[in-house]
Amino acid sequence: SRLQLSMLCFFLQILTIILFAVFVRYSPESSSGPCSQQLNCSWRNQDEGFQHPRFRDVHLQVLLGFGLLVAFLGRYGPGSMAISILIVAFTIQWAILIQGFLFFYLNGKIYVGAQSMVSADFCTAAILISTGAVLGKVNPVQMLLLTLLGVILFAVNEYILLSLMGVSDSGGSLTIHTFGAYFGLMVSRILYQPHMEKRKEQQDTGHQPDVFAVVGTVYLWIFWPSFTSATMVHDNVETWAMLNTYFSLAASTLATFVLSPILHEEGTLQMVQIQDATLASAAMMGMAGEMLVTPFGALIAGFLAGLIPPLGFKFLTPVLSSRLKTQDTCGVHNVHGLPGILGALLGTLLTALATADAYGGRLELVFPLVAQGSQSPMDQALGQLCALLVTLLLATLGGCVTGAVLKIRRLRSSPDTRYLENTVLLEVKLEG
């Protein structure tokens, strides 16, 4: 109900204000504090490398690139876009607190700066991916509770991978795409609603949703290279990630034009399919972007990533729905989950093959433990592979717990309530 949503928003905002007042402070310009080497999180590095344009690019990518992804569905578009903005507004605040206690905490205070905001935007991206799997199945109150729990799980997974295990995942193949996809899919599985099977959300598109897909795709092309390189302080590593991402985007788009006309009888390529290919290639490059030492490697990886969404929607999505009882509204399994896993596997392979001859002086920037002799490339690769298993475990277990919480009777909408987002937030006239 509107009253439930209003009360929850009021409570969460008052809670974050109190916690900000007690713990959060702006970081001093010249301070020496604890820094996670893998996360590049000290405010000293923020002052040197994390400038306003980089944060602006990441924030635009999250708000518009990810936000417009849910707007291509004609039935849910208006309401889901409003909910995306609601999720962004709350996640930024909540992530600053949860990530702050793990990465930016010193002497009883959380010191925020440019990189803490970028990290919060990364968390927001993962949560938006998760909500794509349950769009149309939950109401805004449940969405906020999913965000509340999802941010905590995301931060814990990120801390284990980046700080404890020393994994290299600057663009978020594991922490953003894989975690976000499988966390949302597991929530969708727990909230499975048989009566929803006959509804064809993904086919309910029209002219206006196509326009949203066009705008969203353009934003992805413009800002995603900045997104994958936002956590890199050193410009020479950042250049690799940006260029590899661009090459991957180009190849994945061509792959979609190759495969989609063959798989679909109408032979007409929709803008949403290009949008999916763009996301898949970016998920693939999240970990490997800073590791690929040749441009043709990025083209191969991007081309393979571009094949996943059309094949997945054609063959895997029906199996997810009918056999595994998992309703994936926006296809996050095909667009984020599988490409994220393949990106992690590619990153593991590249890590095992890392040598000083191939990387030169960049080896210390990409794999500092290997360059220092603390680990061999094979040890680092084994850690990267174990990180995939840890992420899948936390995502599935966390999704089960979150789904069980959202399944509480007082939180659920009536099974007969249709167009959940629109009926709670917006009045939308539906033809027919």
Side-chain angles (χ1 to χ4, degrees), residues 206-343:
H207 173 70
Q208 191 68 18
D210 287 341
V211 173
F212 286 138
V214 171
V215 177
T217 304
V218 170
Y219 271 102
L220 291 173
W221 266 83
I222 294 174
F223 295 109
W224 201 286
S226 296
F227 187 91
T228 56
S229 61
T231 60
M232 300 174 189
V233 176
H234 303 282
D235 293 336
N236 51 353
V237 178
E238 177 188 6
T239 302
W240 275 16
M242 294 182 66
L243 293 176
N244 285 329
T245 302
Y246 267 122
F247 292 140
S248 176
L249 290 173
S252 66
T253 301
L254 285 180
T256 301
F257 277 90
V258 169
L259 200 55
S260 292
I262 299 175
L263 295 177
H264 302 284
E265 296 180 358
E266 64 274 11
T268 302
L269 191 69
Q270 297 180 354
M271 197 66 197
V272 172
Q273 294 169 330
I274 301 177
Q275 190 179 49
D276 292 340
T278 305
L279 284 165
S281 66
M284 177 79 84
M285 284 294 101
M287 179 181 292
E290 63 178 350
M291 302 177 186
L292 284 166
V293 297
T294 57
F296 77 87
L299 293 176
I300 295 174
F303 187 81
L304 293 176
L307 299 176
I308 296 174
L311 289 173
F313 281 112
K314 183 70 174 181
F315 301 109
L316 293 181
T317 299
V319 174
L320 275 178
S321 181
S322 61
R323 300 289 181 86
L324 301 180
K325 308 301 180 185
T326 303
Q327 298 156 331
D328 184 7
T329 306
C330 293
V332 298
H333 182 247
N334 307 315
V335 178
H336 298 278
L338 288 178
I341 290 177
L342 291 179

Side-chain angles (χ1 to χ4, degrees), residues 117-268:
M117 293 300 296
V118 170
S119 299
D121 271 330
F122 275 27
C123 180
T124 304
I127 300 302
L128 289 174
I129 291 171
S130 300
T131 59
V134 297
L135 184 63
K137 282 77 177 176
V138 298
N139 57 46
V141 172
Q142 290 172 308
M143 281 285 196
L144 275 178
L145 292 177
L146 182 150
T147 302
L148 183 74
L149 298 175
V151 168
I152 298 174
L153 292 166
F154 172 90
V156 170
N157 181 64
E158 186 181 47
Y159 180 75
I160 293 174
L161 266 57
L162 303 184
S163 291
L164 300 184
M165 299 179 64
V167 171
S168 177
D169 187 29
S170 60
S173 285
L174 285 178
T175 55
I176 298 175
H177 298 280
T178 303
F179 175 85
Y182 289 100
F183 174 70
L185 287 170
M186 189 53 63
V187 174
S188 178
R189 174 63 184 87
I190 300 300
L191 298 178
Y192 176 72
Q193 303 176 40
H195 70 278
M196 302 288 285
E197 285 294 331
K198 297 181 181 180
R199 294 169 62 179
K200 299 180 179 180
E201 299 94 339
Q202 299 188 43
Q203 299 176 8
D204 185 17
T205 59
H207 173 70
Q208 191 68 18
D210 287 341
V211 173
F212 286 138
V214 171
V215 177
T217 304
V218 170
Y219 271 102
L220 291 173
W221 266 83
I222 294 174
F223 295 109
W224 201 286
S226 296
F227 187 91
T228 56
S229 61
T231 60
M232 300 174 189
V233 176
H234 303 282
D235 293 336
N236 51 353
V237 178
E238 177 188 6
T239 302
W240 275 16
M242 294 182 66
L243 293 176
N244 285 329
T245 302
Y246 267 122
F247 292 140
S248 176
L249 290 173
S252 66
T253 301
L254 285 180
T256 301
F257 277 90
V258 169
L259 200 55
S260 292
I262 299 175
L263 295 177
H264 302 284
E265 296 180 358
E266 64 274 11
T268 302

